Amino acid sequence: MDPVSANDLDFERCYRAVTTRDARFDGQFFTAVRTTGIYCRPSCPAITPKPANVTFLPTAAAAQQGGYRACRRCLPDAAPGSPLWNTRADLAARAMRLIADGVIERGGVPALADTLGYSQRQLTRVLTSELGAGPLALARAHRAHTARLLIQTTRLTMSDIAFAAGFASIRQFNDTVREVFAVSPTTLREESRRRNGDTLPATNGVLTLRLPYREPLDRSWLEWFLSAHAAPGLETWEDGVFTRALRTPHGHTTIGLSVQPGHVRASLALHDMRDLAPTVARLRHLLDLDADPVGIDEALSAGLESTHREGIAGAVLAPGIRVPGCLDGPELLLRTMIGQQISVAAANTHVARLVQALGEPVDGAAHHLFPTTEAIAEHGAEVLTGPARRVEAIVGAARALAGGDLVLHSGRTAADLRRDLLALDGVGPWTADYVTMRLLADPDILLHTDLVVRRGASLLGVDLADTARWAPWRSYLTMHLWKHALANPTSVPDGAAGARKARTAP
């Protein structure tokens, strides 16, 4: 079944997902039961309520706004996020991405409205109409989810949890938890201990979290992507763990990621606990953990089988492949420009040199932060090597970012972002599409000019001339073709756009 639109929650379709306990729809909509006052995820193991007693809502905030409490059995707020916020490009979806990144906690509704280019009144009206709740209620639901996660999975004190989740006071934290979950924070923790035993890890300055995802997940693809692009001094890959330092709104965070069955294990050493929620949102974005892989692969399979030879879908599709996102927009653009026309290894060497010279050391100099755009704009020409025109283009992009002439964030539309990227010297269609795909988690960009993608298509006999049949999942087809080409290496010329992706097979 296709994703359920937040604007069109067809009752029969939603109820069918609930009766079959289809976990693919967890996070896409919520089931509110009038007789119990509780809302659940579609896969809740409880007895299926009668149709007359349920209503379906697009967000947890809408359920909470309606006076419903979160089910403490299926933990609806713990489901993977909805893939709709990436497949949709409307105002509501872009607002949800920014709310997850903590824009309201940092600057309130005015900051969210200004970032999106709307008045507060317009924004509130659209979100209430589309998602069943206004921006403050959506942010409140996000804080409640973060609070429950920390209450049940860490030994942090309740005051630290309130601060980390973005609440303004302990009283606000207590009131929200009681209203959303119908119990106190202490009771939530005690219930978790009874279910799971007293196995909470000691924090020791590092939080360890389990980030859920929808099965299946192609672990080899994500691990190759992270390991192959790890730049020394900035990132490390060792024994299946990806580690790096990340600049965050209130300081920095050192992250460690490893893919496990059913979840990604994330360890976070936070300089400021207020950065927890936005950091988790960025990690989920980096690994594309909110995707609906079964639905995507079914759609791609139908498109391939309808126009190509029988059995081609099985040859092309690696179940559960993800489209890697990014942790920081400006870093993504500058690293992509550095890597143009050269191999992955060479790009990593250039990035490592830049980080060593201009990046701020953290963790006792074990890691460096990626340099600020201001530092690259001022000193990048002294550090970067290679063709003068390319160095000038990279420094020019850093200058545009530092001066605010170019703004990169997940709340932009793909068309506007691509237009602004193409206006930069040294940025062509491939770079603009690649950055747009990863920054916005845009699911529908086929990098048809990429040499590795074209070679993968040639090896498999996939016709790239007519791509409409694969919409809106063309970014995922790009990943499938990339992986197939990398797993079946032949000679790929250096110095060609996209060739830098073909240096290491998964």
Side-chain angles (χ1 to χ4, degrees):
M1 293 195 292
D2 296 329
V4 176
S5 169
N7 292 319
D8 184 23
L9 292 177
D10 179 77
F11 188 93
E12 293 302 324
R13 193 156 170 263
C14 291
Y15 194 74
R16 187 164 64 251
V18 170
T19 56
T20 59
R21 295 181 171 84
D22 194 332
R24 284 189 295 156
F25 292 92
D26 289 353
Q28 294 192 34
F29 69 87
F30 298 87
T31 306
V33 185
R34 286 185 284 271
T35 51
T36 61
I38 289 173
Y39 72 94
C40 304
R41 61 169 83 188
S43 66
C44 183
I47 296 173
T48 302
K50 296 178 180 179
N53 295 332
V54 303
T55 186
F56 299 111
L57 299 168
T59 61
Q64 294 169 20
Q65 192 95 318
Y68 293 95
R69 305 185 305 275
C71 174
R72 301 208 300 277
R73 184 173 180 183
C74 71
L75 302 175
D77 60 318
S82 175
L84 292 172
W85 312 138
N86 291 336
T87 58
R88 290 170 47 174
D90 58 4
L91 175 62
R94 290 184 285 122
M96 287 296 286
R97 298 176 207 157
L98 292 173
I99 289 170
D101 196 48
V103 169
I104 287 182
E105 275 70 28
R106 295 192 293 275
V109 177
L112 178 64
D114 288 345
T115 301
L116 292 167
Y118 285 76
S119 71
Q120 295 181 55
R121 184 174 181 178
Q122 285 176 303
L123 178 63
T124 299
R125 184 175 66 249
V126 170
L127 294 186
T128 302
S129 173
E130 296 279 335
L131 305 179
L136 286 176
L138 291 164
R140 177 178 177 270
H142 190 64
R143 286 194 295 270
H145 160 64
T146 303
R148 186 204 56 76
L149 177 70
L150 294 175
I151 289 168
Q152 296 188 327
T153 63
T154 76
R155 294 181 184 272
L156 288 174
T157 66
M158 295 303 174
S159 59
D160 284 342
I161 290 173
F163 182 63
F167 290 97
S169 67
I170 297 294
R171 179 175 180 177
Q172 186 188 62
F173 161 71
N174 286 330
D175 290 347
T176 298
V177 170
R178 286 193 179 95
E179 184 175 342
V180 172
F181 301 105
V183 293
S184 69
T186 301
T187 301
L188 267 184
R189 178 165 281 177
E190 290 173 350
E191 287 179 348
S192 178
R193 285 175 176 169
R194 284 197 297 269
R195 283 196 304 268
N196 306 315
D198 192 12
T199 58
L200 296 179
T203 54
N204 296 324
V206 177
L207 295 180
T208 301
L209 304 176
R210 294 161 61 101
L211 309 181
Y213 57 77
R214 293 179 181 86
E215 297 277 12
L217 180 139
D218 188 340
R219 177 174 178 171
S220 67
W221 176 246
L222 281 181
E223 290 185 341
W224 171 77
F225 206 95
L226 294 175
S227 61
H229 296 84
L234 177 66
E235 299 143 332
T236 60
W237 176 267
E238 187 174 351
D239 297 329
V241 179
F242 174 77
T243 307
R244 67 161 288 170
L246 169 68
R247 186 174 286 104
T248 49
H250 299 97
H252 66 268
T253 300
T254 300
I255 63 171
L257 299 174
S258 62
V259 181
Q260 307 292 330
H263 71 278
V264 170
R265 186 179 186 273
S267 61
L268 310 176
L270 295 145
H271 175 75
D272 190 310
M273 288 297 293
R274 288 176 294 178
D275 290 330
L276 173 66
T279 299
V280 169
R282 293 178 192 186
L283 296 182
R284 298 193 65 82
H285 172 71
L286 172 68
L287 303 177
D288 194 17
L289 297 184
D290 294 329
D292 173 19
V294 173
I296 293 168
D297 289 348
E298 285 179 352
L300 290 178
S301 178
L304 288 166
E305 297 289 1
S306 67
T307 56
H308 295 76
R309 68 181 186 275
E310 185 178 350
I312 188 174
V316 175
L317 303 181
I321 206 166
R322 298 304 205 265
V323 177
C326 71
L327 293 170
D328 179 77
E331 177 186 329
L332 170 65
L333 172 61
L334 296 172
R335 290 182 68 170
T336 301
M337 295 179 71
I338 289 171
Q340 291 176 136
Q341 310 294 325
I342 59 177
S343 70
V344 169
N348 289 341
T349 298
H350 284 282
V351 171
R353 185 183 300 119
L354 191 69
V355 167
Q356 185 64 39
L358 303 179
E360 177 187 350
V362 296
D363 302 331
H367 294 90
H368 288 69
L369 297 172
F370 189 79
T372 63
T373 54
E374 291 81 2
I376 297 175
E378 185 174 355
H379 301 292
E382 304 165 16
V383 179
L384 292 168
T385 60
R389 188 171 180 180
R390 187 173 68 198
V391 171
E392 290 171 4
I394 295 167
V395 172
R399 193 176 295 118
L401 289 162
D405 297 320
L406 176 63
V407 179
L408 302 182
H409 59 69
S410 61
R412 301 207 60 186
T413 66
D416 288 347
L417 175 61
R418 190 175 189 274
R419 180 201 62 216
D420 289 353
L421 291 171
L422 288 173
L424 294 172
D425 289 337
V427 172
W430 184 91
T431 298
D433 285 341
Y434 179 76
V435 171
T436 299
M437 177 178 69
R438 293 190 60 192
L439 176 63
L440 303 185
D442 191 314
D444 200 28
I445 294 177
L446 180 64
L447 299 179
H448 62 279
T449 63
D450 184 277
L451 290 186
V452 182
V453 172
R454 290 168 69 90
R455 185 165 63 84
S458 177
L459 288 170
L460 292 161
V462 175
D463 181 10
L464 297 180
D466 178 15
T467 66
R469 71 180 71 91
W470 298 306
W473 309 116
R474 286 173 279 200
S475 298
Y476 291 88
L477 181 62
T478 294
M479 298 298 114
H480 284 297
L481 296 176
W482 251 345
K483 178 172 182 177
H484 188 82
L486 295 173
N488 298 276
T490 59
S491 59
V492 178
D494 288 328
R500 67 190 189 88
K501 297 294 177 189
R503 292 297 170 265
T504 309

